[in-house]
Amino acid sequence: MPGARFAEIPVESIVPNPKQPRHVFDEEAMEELKTSIQEVGLLQPIVVRELDGGEKYELVMGERRWRAAQATGRDTIPAIVRDTRDDAMLRDALLENIHRANLNPLEEAAAYQQLLEEFGATHEELAKRIGRSRPQISNTIRLLNLPAQVQRRVAAGVLSAGHARALLGLDDTQSQEDLALRIVAEGLSVRATEELVALAVAEGPTPTAKPAKRRVKAHAPALSDLAERLSDRFDTRVKVDIGRSKGKITIEFATVDDLERIVGIIGVERTEQQPE
């Protein structure tokens, strides 16, 4: 991408921006960031510009990440090296990296967050550029709210993005960590995890929710089996919900082409093209 490039550069070759308006950094927040870097890794690249012909680099964005990386003893740090002052070009460079690179779900979430916070990108722009829906982007960013131990398992590929999104349905971090351990130990599928989360939510904080809990247990296995068969048929995630008076089937798709593929499987196109 003209105007910007990605690189792993030595931490010691970076100098702070003398015009940085922030001089006081919250110690507690810095400790949390250091812990996250140690357990999950540095997910968001900093932004720098070259000095002295490339021997030194001046920080443009990301001083907290740079300081935390220093404190954890890292030798190098991922960075966008800007060759221009055009912020739009830097934003495009990061978008290109998201679109082309094989990022894990947490790296993807961090890249989205960086685009929103530092480069002024919008959800609509992200959705258009990478062929995803706004809800998908929002749900991916929410993965950054998971506990560090769970994030580490997602980054390592032990837990899938589907598992991680299901865990977000639980209110407290301890429950999320406990269920994450169970997923790994028992090899639970995403749908089994979603069912466990639904049961936990249905039970609620009070013992008066027993009728609702019994109803969920009675219907959940059949619904889960049906949703799994539909998901296999359409090669995408399908949810089946039944309320008191009606039910709903939700079929997810990534792009318009993906939607057309699913519609073709359903048979709408074949029905329209039948002869008289």
Side-chain angles (χ1 to χ4, degrees):
M1 171 65 67
R5 57 188 172 86
F6 290 88
E8 282 275 345
I9 61 178
V11 172
E12 294 182 352
S13 67
I14 301 170
V15 296
N17 187 339
K19 297 181 180 179
Q20 160 70 269
R22 178 186 292 174
H23 298 287
V24 179
F25 296 86
D26 183 85
E27 292 186 5
E28 183 176 349
M30 286 294 293
E31 286 299 321
E32 290 179 359
L33 182 55
K34 284 161 51 178
T35 300
S36 176
I37 291 174
Q38 289 171 331
E39 297 191 357
V40 184
L42 194 65
L43 301 176
Q44 294 177 314
I46 62 173
V47 180
V48 299
R49 67 183 185 92
E50 288 187 352
L51 296 176
D52 303 327
E55 294 182 4
K56 291 286 185 180
Y57 299 87
E58 182 182 81
L59 267 173
V60 176
M61 300 176 185
E63 185 161 349
R64 287 180 65 253
R65 275 164 278 154
W66 172 61
R67 289 178 180 270
Q70 282 183 307
T72 58
R74 289 179 61 103
D75 295 325
T76 62
I77 187 170
I80 301 174
V81 183
R82 67 185 300 174
D83 301 323
T84 175
R85 300 196 62 82
D86 187 351
D87 285 343
M89 197 168 289
L90 291 170
R91 179 192 59 201
D92 289 345
L94 190 52
L95 277 165
E96 283 293 313
N97 190 55
I98 293 172
H99 191 69
R100 295 178 181 178
N102 186 22
L103 305 178
N104 70 51
L106 280 179
E107 290 171 332
E108 193 173 340
Y112 293 166
Q113 188 69 24
Q114 184 173 15
L115 281 161
L116 294 174
E117 291 181 354
E118 296 183 357
F119 293 94
T122 65
H123 282 77
E124 290 83 358
E125 182 177 10
L126 286 177
K128 181 178 179 181
R129 287 292 297 270
I130 62 177
R132 295 204 174 185
S133 66
R134 283 190 59 183
Q136 282 179 301
I137 291 172
S138 298
N139 289 334
T140 301
I141 291 174
R142 288 179 63 218
L143 299 182
L144 299 174
N145 296 329
L146 289 168
Q149 291 184 356
V150 178
Q151 288 190 33
R152 185 171 68 246
R153 291 184 174 90
V154 176
V158 178
L159 294 177
S160 70
H163 286 115
R165 283 191 290 270
L167 290 174
L168 287 168
L170 298 173
D171 292 332
D172 62 287
T173 57
Q174 188 59 54
S175 298
Q176 291 171 341
E177 292 178 358
D178 291 344
L179 184 52
L181 289 173
R182 184 175 173 185
I183 292 169
V184 176
E186 301 180 19
L188 298 177
S189 67
V190 172
R191 294 180 186 85
T193 303
E194 290 172 341
E195 185 174 339
L196 288 173
V197 171
L199 290 173
V201 172
E203 289 175 357
T206 62
T208 58
K210 288 184 179 179
K213 181 177 71 173
R214 284 198 299 270
R215 187 178 67 166
V216 171
K217 285 185 177 179
H219 288 289
L223 296 183
S224 177
D225 179 67
L226 178 58
E228 187 169 354
R229 285 187 284 125
L230 287 171
S231 296
D232 292 340
R233 172 63 174 156
F234 297 128
D235 194 22
T236 188
R237 185 184 176 192
V238 178
K239 289 184 65 178
V240 181
D241 298 305
I242 293 182
R244 291 185 177 181
S245 59
K246 61 183 179 180
K248 179 174 66 174
I249 297 177
T250 305
I251 304 174
E252 293 187 359
F253 62 91
T255 64
V256 173
D257 289 340
D258 194 28
L259 174 60
E260 292 178 350
R261 176 188 64 81
I262 294 170
V263 169
I265 294 174
I266 293 173
V268 173
E269 292 183 354
R270 288 194 297 270
T271 300
E272 292 175 349
Q273 295 171 3
Q274 286 181 349
E276 295 181 1

